[in-house]
Amino acid sequence: MSSAYSFTGGSLRLKGNATSTTQGGKVSKKHKHKSKSSKVIEAPSSKMEHVASTISSNPIDQHGPSGSGSSRRDLRTPAEIAYDEAMAKRAEEKILRKAAKSHKEQVEELNSYLDKLTEYNDIPKILKRMTRSMDDDFTYFVKILDDNSDRYYLKSSIDERTNTILMQLTNLKVGWIGTLNQNQVRALAKKFPPEEHDTFYSHTQRAFSKGNHSEIDGRTYVFTCKIIEKNRLEFVWKQMVDDLNSLKIIGSAELQERPIEEILVKMMDHAIDEMETLRSTNEQKIFEIQRINGQLNKALETVKQTVDTKEKLEADLYRKNKTEIRKKKIR
């Protein structure tokens, strides 16, 4: 009995010649996997003719995507061709610009770019300052003296976007905290008489940022801290009017007593953050000054070399003219 894998010998038969083989008077059918492989490899004659007719009717574009006369057709649209040409031209220009610069110039450009970058630990502080300025949030921390010459420390946050003011006050013995909400701020702004360029916010910001110091812009502010209850304090800020020799009330708020440790921690955190911000800004300015000094030294060196070259050329020219004059006299 013949098996499915028996081989009778002889030449191989193509698929088109026969669909089965005869062995010992019996017909053995070919396996399906062989016929599948044959179908994948071979193509019907009608399809081959169609491909041949298509190629003959559409001549090959000798300037295909590679531009080297390949046998493939350029199937790109005019827009794609224009885009590829523009990108190739741009890449060529980039290479030419890079090749025109010396290694020294490239290193100097890289150093200049790196000098302008901030340190990684300065990025959160810069983002914090940007966010604060975008939100119209102004934070101040000053030392003030009230009308009784008692010393206090005031930390304030004025948010013009939400029309709120947060105040934290302490005399290093007791701490108070208070917030003016939107309605209270609007009521104070209505009470404050409008001036040419000053508003309730501008006066409040100036008072909370400069304290009692009047040498900045010549305006003097006075503060009153009065305990009205056991755990409450009335805080009033006023402006000294020199012409009338009187005080003009700008705003007032009632502050609630809080643990001194809570107030001091917030003030210390703010002072340390501001100190670190100033330190990083100072370092950046020092780096910028050093970079400018380096560029100045290079410029001076270049000028010195130019002057030396000029003097040398003048000396050579003078010596050459003198030699020619001697030769003429000899003749």
Side-chain angles (χ1 to χ4, degrees):
M1 185 176 180
S2 62
S3 64
Y5 298 96
S6 61
F7 178 70
T8 59
S11 61
L12 296 176
R13 294 174 179 241
L14 300 177
K15 181 179 179 181
N17 296 333
T19 58
S20 62
T21 58
T22 305
Q23 299 177 2
K26 295 183 180 181
V27 177
S28 62
K29 296 182 178 180
K30 292 184 178 180
H31 295 283
K32 293 183 179 180
H33 66 274
K34 293 182 180 180
S35 61
K36 288 182 180 179
S37 62
S38 300
K39 288 180 181 179
V40 173
I41 296 172
E42 298 180 3
S45 59
S46 59
K47 291 186 178 181
M48 296 295 293
E49 293 173 359
H50 175 68
V51 171
S53 62
T54 303
I55 295 174
S56 61
S57 61
N58 297 316
I60 298 174
D61 188 3
Q62 297 298 329
H63 302 284
S66 62
S68 59
S70 62
S71 61
R72 293 186 179 181
R73 294 177 55 216
D74 190 356
L75 301 178
R76 297 176 298 171
T77 62
E80 292 175 343
I81 295 174
Y83 174 79
D84 293 340
E85 292 177 353
M87 293 299 294
K89 185 177 180 181
R90 187 177 300 177
E92 183 180 358
E93 292 176 353
K94 184 177 180 181
I95 293 173
L96 291 176
R97 286 197 304 268
K98 188 173 182 181
K101 296 180 181 179
S102 63
H103 177 71
K104 182 179 179 180
E105 293 175 347
Q106 294 179 8
V107 171
E108 289 178 353
E109 287 186 0
L110 178 61
N111 292 335
S112 176
Y113 171 74
L114 294 177
D115 289 340
K116 294 178 181 179
L117 295 178
T118 59
E119 297 179 353
Y120 72 95
N121 54 357
D122 293 333
I123 294 176
K125 301 170 188 175
I126 295 174
L127 294 176
K128 181 179 178 182
R129 294 174 63 186
M130 290 176 58
T131 305
R132 184 170 60 186
S133 60
M134 290 174 61
D135 293 341
D136 296 330
D137 185 8
F138 303 92
T139 303
Y140 306 103
F141 181 43
V142 293
K143 179 182 69 175
I144 64 174
L145 297 175
D146 69 348
D147 47 7
N148 295 324
S149 299
D150 293 332
R151 183 174 59 184
Y152 291 85
Y153 294 93
L154 172 65
K155 177 178 175 293
S156 59
S157 297
I158 303 174
D159 192 347
E160 293 187 8
R161 183 175 55 86
T162 58
N163 294 327
T164 57
I165 300 177
L166 173 64
M167 290 165 284
Q168 298 169 359
L169 187 70
T170 180
N171 58 0
L172 301 182
K173 298 178 182 178
V174 187
W176 298 272
I177 188 171
T179 303
L180 292 177
N181 56 32
Q182 190 175 24
N183 296 329
Q184 293 172 334
V185 170
R186 289 179 177 177
L188 291 173
K190 290 180 179 180
K191 291 180 180 180
F192 185 80
E195 300 178 359
E196 293 182 359
H197 301 287
D198 286 325
T199 61
F200 166 77
Y201 285 107
S202 62
H203 272 291
T204 301
Q205 290 175 6
R206 195 179 297 113
F208 288 177
S209 63
K210 64 191 289 290
N212 303 96
H213 299 284
S214 60
E215 59 271 10
I216 298 177
D217 54 5
R219 301 187 183 186
T220 303
Y221 294 93
V222 179
F223 303 91
T224 300
C225 301
K226 181 180 178 181
I227 299 177
I228 54 178
E229 294 180 5
K230 182 178 180 181
N231 298 328
R232 301 185 69 82
L233 178 139
E234 182 183 21
F235 179 67
V236 183
W237 55 101
K238 315 169 189 177
Q239 180 190 4
M240 176 72 73
V241 182
D242 296 333
D243 297 338
L244 302 177
N245 196 15
S246 61
L247 297 174
K248 179 173 60 177
I249 296 178
I250 300 174
S252 62
E254 292 186 3
L255 309 182
Q256 180 69 35
E257 183 178 345
R258 298 296 293 270
I260 184 64
E261 295 84 3
E262 177 183 348
I263 305 298
L264 291 178
V265 166
K266 293 181 179 180
M267 290 184 176
M268 290 288 289
D269 289 342
H270 174 74
I272 292 173
D273 291 341
E274 290 296 322
M275 182 179 64
E276 292 180 353
T277 302
L278 292 175
R279 178 189 59 80
S280 61
T281 304
N282 187 39
E283 290 179 354
Q284 292 176 10
K285 291 187 180 298
I286 291 174
F287 293 153
E288 185 68 17
I289 291 173
Q290 292 176 351
R291 185 181 67 83
I292 293 174
N293 289 335
Q295 293 180 350
L296 179 60
N297 293 332
K298 291 180 181 178
L300 293 176
E301 184 66 23
T302 303
V303 171
K304 184 178 180 301
Q305 293 177 0
T306 305
V307 172
D308 294 341
T309 304
K310 176 178 174 293
E311 292 178 351
K312 183 179 179 181
L313 290 175
E314 289 177 349
D316 293 341
L317 183 61
Y318 176 76
R319 186 166 49 253
K320 182 178 180 181
N321 292 335
K322 191 174 181 180
T323 303
E324 291 178 355
I325 292 172
R326 287 180 179 178
K327 289 181 179 179
K328 289 180 180 180
K329 287 182 178 180
I330 294 173
R331 291 177 184 176

